[in-house]
Amino acid sequence: MLSGAPPLVQLIKATMLRLPDASLRQMLTLPYVVLVIVTAAVIGLLSYSAGRDAVDTLSNHVLNETVSRISQAVDKHVAGSEAVLETAFPPDVPAPLSVADELDELRTRFWLATSIHRDPNNYAYYGDRHGQFFGIYRFSETEAELRLRTDGESPRSIHQYARINGELGPAVLEQRIFEPRERPWYKAGQGTSNQTWTAIYIDFKTLQLVSTRARRVNNALGEFQGVVATDLSLQLLNEFLKGLTLTANGFAFIVEPDGNMVATSRGPHIRKGVGDDNTRLNVMQSTDPLIAATYRSVRDLTAHAGNTMGPLTSSFEGPDGEIVQTGYYRLQDAAGLDWIIAVAVPRSDFMFQVNRNVKRTVFLGLLASVLIALIGFVVLSLITRDLRRLARITTSVGDGIMDLSMPSYRKDEIGELARSIATMQKRLLTDRLTGIPNREAVVRRVEDRILEHRRRGDSHPFAVLFVDLNGFKAINDRWGHEVGDRVLIEFARRLHDNLEQAGMAARYGGDEFLVLLEEVSGRNDAMQSRERFEVALKLPLELPELDGQSAWELTQGGTIGLALCPEDGYDVESLIKAADQDMYQRKLGRVARNEPA
């Protein structure tokens, strides 16, 4: 007779039928105990499912963010080497026929070149087809060493000196003959007209990984004359990875496609031998099976990813059967750089708080069955509500919606998770310097506004303003980036404070900002708003006087381009491009009127 009843009702009835001699208290208590236990189990499963979905979404954002940070660090680390070569030998400067004849000019250029990114590009050098060599190795801001060879036979002479035009110290001849034409960097640079990277090697003095960037230099007749190069130590990348804040079992590494280590946050990247017999460690030789498994996974993924525009995420089953979540990116440049960036975190690290919360939920349910079933049920319901709310909020964060309140009033693990999501929400969509929304946030907001415009099917336009600050480079060059940062913060505040209607002011990058005006009556209305922002930007900056002159006198406001949707474009890229072009035309107009731009 119980075959048609729900399973829970069948369980309760079966329990009561087995207690014919039980007291009324027992008969009233046991069904509720069973109900609370089953309910606690069901809620625990729902909580785990909702928490897992929320954590998966959040973990993908964390992995993407971490890979992006590493990619930016690598780009910053290697991009300076290009500027070093261009400063040492600008493209329009021919190579000298004799190093000795242009020694002073070479000293000046190479000193400036090694000043751009002294750490790590503190060594720039040049060798020509006649065996001549010129190089400057910077020990510090003021001390350097000149390495010179003016013929193709003698050893190099080493001169110590201080400051850019300091007097050279007495020459010290090297014991061995240094022949630049036989070096890998010379052969690599000679064979291509573009800049190129040599293979990574281990420096025998520092035992650090080093790569060299080289470029050929022609003479005045356009013929090959020599090669200019700079060394790049990869130690800073290792230090950066080891300083990353990851989970207890998470790690990150950078490898070449063949598996040779470039940098890693866990374990060695060089296999040490006897004496100087050290070799690069291939990731497949790592004693950590999880690192090798991660490499195999991302190697296959990057091989099929093509030219992606940003980091990707995936997951695989680790050697111990546990699911491992990964973020990865293949970084390539025109000079031949080809590295794979990978971050791996076991899913259990992300699920730790959720697992703890599920266990506590079950415990509270059992405790509530002893004390009072109703209270336990309410508590578990509230926990489930908050977990589902966190899942919805996390999904909204991925869509660029920032103004959502978190249930951070809780003091338990759910509150910790909520505060963690709130912190990540702010990190993902807020510019760290100015405190206003960042590029990703405003782009997503514009996309949402376009979708809203299409759904409504009406003719209500909206505007995008592209703001570029005038004279900002002069502030950085004269007073440094600290004052420049204060200027950016002040201009961001003005843009935000002068929003008189619905919209958003965001930092787009560098000294560029975007302003979204969500409701405008037409182009004239948008132009009036633009004039209001231009007036606000021209007001004196509230900064102390430096060198007898206020910083605001050099900024002279900003130039603002305008694009109207749908007239100037119906997608994000078109609108921003139109506003940027309008800003550029207005800058040209200012230049034509001899106004600062």
Side-chain angles (χ1 to χ4, degrees), residues 282-302:
N282 190 284
V283 69
M284 298 304 296
Q285 300 169 336
S286 173
T287 58
D288 190 334
L290 184 55
I291 292 181
T294 301
Y295 165 70
R296 288 193 296 268
S297 175
V298 299
R299 177 191 59 189
D300 297 338
L301 292 170
T302 55

Side-chain angles (χ1 to χ4, degrees), residues 210-264:
V210 175
S211 185
T212 300
R213 190 164 187 159
R215 176 174 65 83
R216 66 180 288 165
V217 183
N218 297 328
N219 58 23
L221 299 178
E223 303 168 334
F224 170 74
Q225 185 67 21
V227 174
V228 62
T230 182
D231 289 345
L232 177 68
S233 171
L234 302 179
Q235 181 61 23
L236 289 180
L237 284 181
N238 267 284
E239 294 175 358
F240 176 79
L241 291 190
K242 293 184 184 300
L244 285 174
T245 302
L246 298 172
T247 63
N249 300 297
F251 58 89
F253 61 77
I254 304 173
V255 295
E256 294 182 297
D258 61 2
N260 284 331
M261 280 282 194
V262 176
T264 179

Side-chain angles (χ1 to χ4, degrees), residues 427-439:
R427 282 184 60 195
L428 291 174
L429 301 174
T430 302
D431 180 61
R432 296 184 180 179
L433 175 64
T434 61
I436 65 175
N438 60 14
R439 178 174 182 163

Side-chain angles (χ1 to χ4, degrees), residues 36 364-365 367-377:
V36 171
L364 290 175
L367 182 61
S369 68
V370 175
L371 300 176
I372 178 169
L374 181 59
I375 296 177
F377 178 79

Side-chain angles (χ1 to χ4, degrees), residues 388-450:
R388 290 174 177 170
R389 182 180 176 190
L390 283 177
R392 291 193 298 270
I393 291 175
T394 306
T395 302
S396 299
V397 170
D399 296 332
I401 302 175
M402 298 184 298
D403 53 349
L404 294 174
S405 60
M406 295 284 181
S408 56
Y409 55 85
R410 301 186 66 98
K411 303 301 181 182
D412 57 6
E413 288 76 14
I414 297 180
E416 293 176 9
L417 182 59
R419 287 185 287 275
S420 298
I421 295 176
T423 300
M424 183 58 61
Q425 175 185 9
K426 185 175 182 180
R427 282 184 60 195
L428 291 174
L429 301 174
T430 302
D431 180 61
R432 296 184 180 179
L433 175 64
T434 61
I436 65 175
N438 60 14
R439 178 174 182 163
E440 183 179 5
V442 70
V443 167
R444 293 185 177 185
R445 187 73 168 265
V446 173
E447 290 175 343
D448 290 342
R449 185 62 182 83
I450 291 174

Side-chain angles (χ1 to χ4, degrees), residues 40-41 43-49 352-364 380 383 387:
I43 293 178
L45 291 175
L46 292 175
S47 300
Y48 181 83
S49 177
F352 175 71
Q353 290 291 351
V354 174
N355 290 334
R356 284 187 59 189
N357 184 67
V358 170
K359 292 178 181 179
R360 183 164 295 186
T361 300
V362 174
F363 173 77
L364 290 175
L380 292 174
I383 292 175
L387 282 174

